[in-house]
Amino acid sequence: MFSVLGKLKWFFLEHKKRYIIAVSCLILASIADVLPPKLIGLAIDAITYEQAGPSELANLLLIYGGIIVFSYIISFVWVYLLFGGAYLVERMMRTKLMGHLLQMNPTFFGKYRTGDLMARATNDLKAISATAGFGILTLVDSTVFMMLIIGVMVFTISWKLTLVALIPLPFMAIVMHKYGKTIHERFMRAQTSFGDLNDYVLESVRGVRVLRAFVQEKEDEKRFREHTEDVYTKNVAVAKIDAMFEPTMKVLVGLSYTIGLGYGAQLVFQNELTLGGLVSFNVYLGMLIWPMFAVGELINVMQRGNASLDRVNETLSYPADVRSPEHPVYINLPEILEFKDLDFVYPESQMKSVSNVTLTVKRGETIGVVGKTGAGKTTLFRQMLREYPRKNHGELLINGVPIEKLSLDQTRSWIGYVPQDQILFSKSVLENIRFGKSDASREEVNQVLGLSYLRQDVELLPEGLDTQVGESGVTLSGGQKQRLALARALIMDPEILILDDAMSAVDGKTEANIIANLRKERKGKTTFIAAHRLSAVEHADQIIVLEEGKIVEHGTHEQLIAHGGWYAAQYQLQQLEDQEVV
């Protein structure tokens, strides 16, 4: 149960001063809290036996008031430090988790679903925070505070009465252990179910247009109800065990009260205990309710925290597939890119997605990459983006240096990437463009709007550049999304621009204008263009045709037309289609 504290040892050591002061103040507050009942007993005995006058009682009241003020001040300090530490560990863990997620590659996100990761970053971190705050409180109160109360009862009132009244305690320990084990298992299942629900909701929101198009609203509601019912059922199972803690404590405390009153009254009749002592003893028994209840809460909080910390640590322990070398080689600019007999196999596959690719690209060249759907165009680009570890045959060299010897930050800072599926953020058009360069001026933004042929569209938007694009750009058309993603990449003025079928949703005329702008503005810098419309690449310095991951044709537009292969046939077919449209 307490293994969670060991797992959080790094945090407690890092903030040991905070926790030492907090726990010390908590213990002082506990000591202050056990004094008033004793004073009450003394006052009752003094009045009963006429041993105290008004002045003595006034002094007792002053002492009582002083204890209350001291307890208030010291309690403020420990609450501030202890629960401040709880929020601190949550913030640190969330920052650590987010930093880790940003280092992960597609393999990781294929294993962990988005909804489950969200559950770990919210509910699980809250449970860990509760362990570092409320968990420490219950730990001290269920041990130190309880021992203080029992000690006062034993040494200042009656050891016999105390021993008899606490007979139920061993039974409590056995029951709490069983409760704790059960709640750990059920809470793990509940958290997993919550992650599944999160993931399902995300998919439904993202695919709401498809759901409506296929008239699947009722089916989606039905599936959602099934997920929520599963989450509800599993959380109710946790709540059932949770709900048993307090009644169990009350029954045990009730037994202690019954024993204490019965045997205590007998001791009073036998003159072995004063009336004030019996009153004090019963007040202390009442005070024991919280420490005994704290034992149950301690087990509950620790087990939840342990389960959640295991889930978060599982995520954090997942190693990054691609890392920067310890001593990276520095290159000023990527003058030459060389693919030498490059092979690549996805981790979950056995087939080569790229095979024996050999290609040399000089700085300033435009490379056209074409081929059938699934030919390996995106996979080839991913080698430059270093999304997967290089474990296969062949090399990718930059200025003669294997790309694995360069830092990730450097290689990725050279590249502006516009993927097939554009990812836009729920911010304004301007903020989405500036994502590529946060300090870009309005003039730079206007320039890339012209290059991406988006200026006229932006002018027609309700608030221009300040228009909110909505979740994943839902308020924009497909072509506008693609051109906005292109503008975001262009504002970086990257050394290597990769357009991965990035203009499939724009019309031929707009595409031609964008290509013309790129040819003019991208002189001296490298550009890769993958496209299905061959008109987008006919100006390229080199064109490669991929088929099943292999280069089957390579040359300029004129050379490939003269070759009479797939490229020539596809080009002629597209020309005929364009003539028919006209």
PDB file of all heavy atoms in Angstrom, residues 52 147 169 280 321 333 426 454 490 575 580:
ATOM      1  N   ALA A  52     -11.771  24.448  42.787  1.00  0.00           N
ATOM      2  CA  ALA A  52     -11.391  25.604  41.960  1.00  0.00           C
ATOM      3  C   ALA A  52     -12.446  26.686  42.070  1.00  0.00           C
ATOM      4  O   ALA A  52     -13.652  26.411  42.092  1.00  0.00           O
ATOM      5  CB  ALA A  52     -11.233  25.179  40.510  1.00  0.00           C
ATOM      6  N   MET A 147      -1.874   7.750  17.973  1.00  0.00           N
ATOM      7  CA  MET A 147      -0.996   7.334  19.068  1.00  0.00           C
ATOM      8  C   MET A 147      -0.993   8.362  20.206  1.00  0.00           C
ATOM      9  O   MET A 147      -0.930   8.003  21.385  1.00  0.00           O
ATOM     10  CB  MET A 147       0.435   7.144  18.549  1.00  0.00           C
ATOM     11  CG  MET A 147       0.607   5.941  17.625  1.00  0.00           C
ATOM     12  SD  MET A 147       0.171   4.372  18.433  1.00  0.00           S
ATOM     13  CE  MET A 147      -1.426   4.046  17.688  1.00  0.00           C
ATOM     14  N   LEU A 169      -9.916  -2.561  17.412  1.00  0.00           N
ATOM     15  CA  LEU A 169      -8.891  -2.081  16.475  1.00  0.00           C
ATOM     16  C   LEU A 169      -8.269  -3.176  15.605  1.00  0.00           C
ATOM     17  O   LEU A 169      -8.103  -2.989  14.390  1.00  0.00           O
ATOM     18  CB  LEU A 169      -7.788  -1.334  17.228  1.00  0.00           C
ATOM     19  CG  LEU A 169      -8.078   0.134  17.566  1.00  0.00           C
ATOM     20  CD1 LEU A 169      -6.910   0.743  18.318  1.00  0.00           C
ATOM     21  CD2 LEU A 169      -8.356   0.935  16.305  1.00  0.00           C
ATOM     22  N   SER A 280     -13.563  13.055  29.886  1.00  0.00           N
ATOM     23  CA  SER A 280     -12.396  13.240  29.001  1.00  0.00           C
ATOM     24  C   SER A 280     -12.166  12.015  28.124  1.00  0.00           C
ATOM     25  O   SER A 280     -11.883  12.124  26.927  1.00  0.00           O
ATOM     26  CB  SER A 280     -11.134  13.509  29.832  1.00  0.00           C
ATOM     27  OG  SER A 280     -11.239  14.728  30.517  1.00  0.00           O
ATOM     28  N   ASP A 321      11.504   6.179 -29.564  1.00  0.00           N
ATOM     29  CA  ASP A 321      12.067   5.334 -30.620  1.00  0.00           C
ATOM     30  C   ASP A 321      13.236   6.009 -31.329  1.00  0.00           C
ATOM     31  O   ASP A 321      14.176   5.361 -31.778  1.00  0.00           O
ATOM     32  CB  ASP A 321      10.977   4.993 -31.654  1.00  0.00           C
ATOM     33  CG  ASP A 321       9.875   4.146 -31.047  1.00  0.00           C
ATOM     34  OD1 ASP A 321      10.192   3.280 -30.233  1.00  0.00           O
ATOM     35  OD2 ASP A 321       8.696   4.358 -31.380  1.00  0.00           O
ATOM     36  N   LEU A 333      24.219  23.891 -43.338  1.00  0.00           N
ATOM     37  CA  LEU A 333      23.075  23.810 -44.252  1.00  0.00           C
ATOM     38  C   LEU A 333      23.083  22.468 -44.979  1.00  0.00           C
ATOM     39  O   LEU A 333      24.156  21.930 -45.282  1.00  0.00           O
ATOM     40  CB  LEU A 333      23.132  24.943 -45.284  1.00  0.00           C
ATOM     41  CG  LEU A 333      22.866  26.369 -44.772  1.00  0.00           C
ATOM     42  CD1 LEU A 333      23.142  27.378 -45.873  1.00  0.00           C
ATOM     43  CD2 LEU A 333      21.456  26.529 -44.246  1.00  0.00           C
ATOM     44  N   SER A 426      -7.450  24.910 -32.761  1.00  0.00           N
ATOM     45  CA  SER A 426      -8.680  25.669 -32.508  1.00  0.00           C
ATOM     46  C   SER A 426      -8.337  27.100 -32.109  1.00  0.00           C
ATOM     47  O   SER A 426      -8.640  27.555 -31.006  1.00  0.00           O
ATOM     48  CB  SER A 426      -9.496  24.990 -31.405  1.00  0.00           C
ATOM     49  OG  SER A 426      -9.826  23.684 -31.763  1.00  0.00           O
ATOM     50  N   LEU A 454      -4.130  32.294 -50.655  1.00  0.00           N
ATOM     51  CA  LEU A 454      -5.165  32.246 -49.620  1.00  0.00           C
ATOM     52  C   LEU A 454      -5.673  33.631 -49.233  1.00  0.00           C
ATOM     53  O   LEU A 454      -6.673  33.743 -48.526  1.00  0.00           O
ATOM     54  CB  LEU A 454      -4.585  31.545 -48.370  1.00  0.00           C
ATOM     55  CG  LEU A 454      -5.536  31.196 -47.224  1.00  0.00           C
ATOM     56  CD1 LEU A 454      -6.627  30.226 -47.693  1.00  0.00           C
ATOM     57  CD2 LEU A 454      -4.761  30.601 -46.053  1.00  0.00           C
ATOM     58  N   LEU A 490       5.353  27.647 -45.085  1.00  0.00           N
ATOM     59  CA  LEU A 490       6.136  28.617 -45.845  1.00  0.00           C
ATOM     60  C   LEU A 490       6.672  29.751 -44.984  1.00  0.00           C
ATOM     61  O   LEU A 490       7.733  30.313 -45.280  1.00  0.00           O
ATOM     62  CB  LEU A 490       5.290  29.201 -46.983  1.00  0.00           C
ATOM     63  CG  LEU A 490       4.981  28.249 -48.147  1.00  0.00           C
ATOM     64  CD1 LEU A 490       4.012  28.899 -49.124  1.00  0.00           C
ATOM     65  CD2 LEU A 490       6.265  27.844 -48.864  1.00  0.00           C
ATOM     66  N   GLN A 575      -4.200  14.769 -69.194  1.00  0.00           N
ATOM     67  CA  GLN A 575      -4.385  15.839 -70.185  1.00  0.00           C
ATOM     68  C   GLN A 575      -5.724  15.684 -70.896  1.00  0.00           C
ATOM     69  O   GLN A 575      -6.438  16.665 -71.129  1.00  0.00           O
ATOM     70  CB  GLN A 575      -3.242  15.795 -71.211  1.00  0.00           C
ATOM     71  CG  GLN A 575      -1.882  16.185 -70.658  1.00  0.00           C
ATOM     72  CD  GLN A 575      -1.836  17.648 -70.245  1.00  0.00           C
ATOM     73  OE1 GLN A 575      -1.922  17.972 -69.078  1.00  0.00           O
ATOM     74  NE2 GLN A 575      -1.711  18.527 -71.225  1.00  0.00           N
ATOM     75  N   GLU A 580     -11.485  17.359 -71.539  1.00  0.00           N
ATOM     76  CA  GLU A 580     -12.921  17.043 -71.470  1.00  0.00           C
ATOM     77  C   GLU A 580     -13.643  17.995 -70.531  1.00  0.00           C
ATOM     78  O   GLU A 580     -14.774  18.408 -70.779  1.00  0.00           O
ATOM     79  CB  GLU A 580     -13.104  15.600 -70.985  1.00  0.00           C
ATOM     80  CG  GLU A 580     -12.713  14.569 -72.030  1.00  0.00           C
ATOM     81  CD  GLU A 580     -12.821  13.143 -71.495  1.00  0.00           C
ATOM     82  OE1 GLU A 580     -13.273  12.997 -70.335  1.00  0.00           O
ATOM     83  OE2 GLU A 580     -12.450  12.217 -72.220  1.00  0.00           O
TER      84      GLU A 580
END
